[in-house]
């Protein structure tokens, strides 16, 4: 469920308009491809200038 929680927190952070524009763009650009995390964040950054570093750290930090 972490992925769903991340996407919900991302939506709250950047707002509905930017979030849904990003999702549609991501789908359009990556349809039929194997998308990477770099692809995800590259496209996301085209839709927001919000500082997402805390969210990224919270959800993607490697456990030690």
């Amino acid at each position: 469920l972490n992925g769903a929680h991340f996407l919900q927190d991302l939506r709250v952070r950047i707002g509905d308009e930017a979030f849904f524009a990003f999702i549609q763009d991501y789908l359009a650009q990556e349809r039929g491809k194997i998308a990477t995390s770099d692809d995800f964040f590259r496209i996301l950054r085209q839709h927001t200038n919000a500082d997402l570093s805390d969210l990224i750290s919270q959800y993607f930090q490697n456990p030690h």
Side-chain angles (χ1 to χ4, degrees), residues 14-51:
I14 69 174
D16 286 347
E17 185 176 337
F19 179 79
F20 288 113
F22 155 66
I23 292 295
Q24 290 175 339
D25 195 13
Y26 180 75
L27 177 61
Q29 288 190 44
E30 299 302 319
R31 180 176 278 135
K33 300 177 185 175
I34 298 174
T36 66
S37 59
D38 288 341
D39 296 324
F40 180 91
F41 289 108
R42 174 183 50 80
I43 296 167
L44 176 59
R45 287 188 182 100
Q46 295 171 2
H47 292 274
T48 185
N49 291 323
D51 180 5

Side-chain angles (χ1 to χ4, degrees), residues 4 6 19 25 28 30 32 35 39-40 43 54-57 59-60:
F6 170 73
F19 179 79
D25 195 13
E30 299 302 319
D39 296 324
F40 180 91
I43 296 167
D54 61 325
L55 284 179
I56 293 168
S57 292
Y59 286 98
F60 298 101

